[in-house]
């Protein structure tokens, strides 16, 4: 199986589907790539950037409560090497409603900032390049 051209989709449940989708669109400049309603009891919104090979899918199973993130170490990490872009994105995350929190793993505080969404899931904006 060749995964070189695969698209990665990370899916997770939420009790606040619309609010979470709006938060990630505003904070990370994601676009709504798709959505569905009552697909065998599930509603969902797929977010991402059309030119990138990754998506986030937020789902809500009608009648089921999922609550908060199970741990403080559930992370999405984005590497932003440009300082000005990183600073602007950090401001955008706060304006979108994310809360700045100390990283559970202190490694992420060295070159980054950690933000929690409404469900307690965390996004790290790392101010450095990914070491390729």
């Amino acid at each position: 199986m060749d995964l070189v051209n695969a698209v990665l989709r990370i899916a997770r449940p939420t009790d606040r589907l619309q609010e979470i989708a709006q938060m990630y669109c505003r904070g990370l400049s994601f676009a709504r790539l798709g959505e569905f309603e009552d697909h065998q009891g599930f509603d969902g919104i797929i977010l991402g950037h059309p030119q990138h090979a990754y998506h986030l899918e937020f789902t809500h199973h009608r009648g089921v409560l999922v609550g908060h993130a199970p741990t403080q170490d559930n992370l999405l990490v984005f590497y932003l090497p440009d300082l000005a872009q990183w600073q602007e994105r950090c401001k955008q995350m706060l304006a979108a409603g994310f809360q700045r929190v100390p990283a559970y793993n202190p490694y992420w505080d060295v070159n980054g900032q950690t933000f929690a969404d409404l469900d307690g899931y965390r996004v790290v904006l790392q101010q450095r390049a990914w070491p390729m």
Side-chain angles (χ1 to χ4, degrees):
M1 173 187 278
D2 179 13
L3 295 179
V4 173
N5 296 313
V7 174
L8 171 67
R9 179 177 296 168
I10 298 168
R12 78 157 171 92
T14 180
D15 297 324
R16 307 173 194 198
L17 186 59
Q18 295 299 327
E19 296 92 337
I20 287 290
Q22 181 179 0
M23 180 180 261
Y24 278 79
C25 284
R26 288 183 60 214
L28 296 168
S29 297
F30 284 157
R32 286 184 183 226
L33 302 177
E35 49 192 292
F36 54 90
E37 288 187 32
D38 200 14
H39 183 255
Q40 297 180 328
F42 287 86
D43 301 326
I45 299 174
I46 302 160
L47 305 177
H49 297 287
Q51 69 276 19
H52 290 126
Y54 64 87
H55 305 147
L56 299 181
E57 177 180 351
F58 296 101
T59 62
H60 175 70
H61 189 186
R62 294 176 180 202
V64 176
L65 293 177
V66 295
H68 266 63
T71 74
Q72 297 174 6
D73 208 26
N74 284 285
L75 307 174
L76 292 175
V77 179
F78 294 91
Y79 289 83
L80 302 168
D82 181 86
L83 178 61
Q85 181 188 40
W86 177 79
Q87 290 171 330
E88 184 57 35
R89 183 64 61 197
C90 289
K91 288 180 197 172
Q92 204 169 320
M93 293 290 282
L94 294 171
F98 285 86
Q99 181 180 20
R100 183 157 185 231
V101 296
Y104 178 73
N105 178 340
Y107 169 81
W108 297 113
D109 286 335
V110 175
N111 293 306
Q113 289 187 16
T114 302
F115 302 88
D117 70 18
L118 294 171
D119 293 336
Y121 286 86
R122 295 173 175 214
V123 176
V124 176
L125 299 183
Q126 196 65 348
Q127 202 279 295
R128 60 184 294 211
W130 167 250
M132 298 297 270

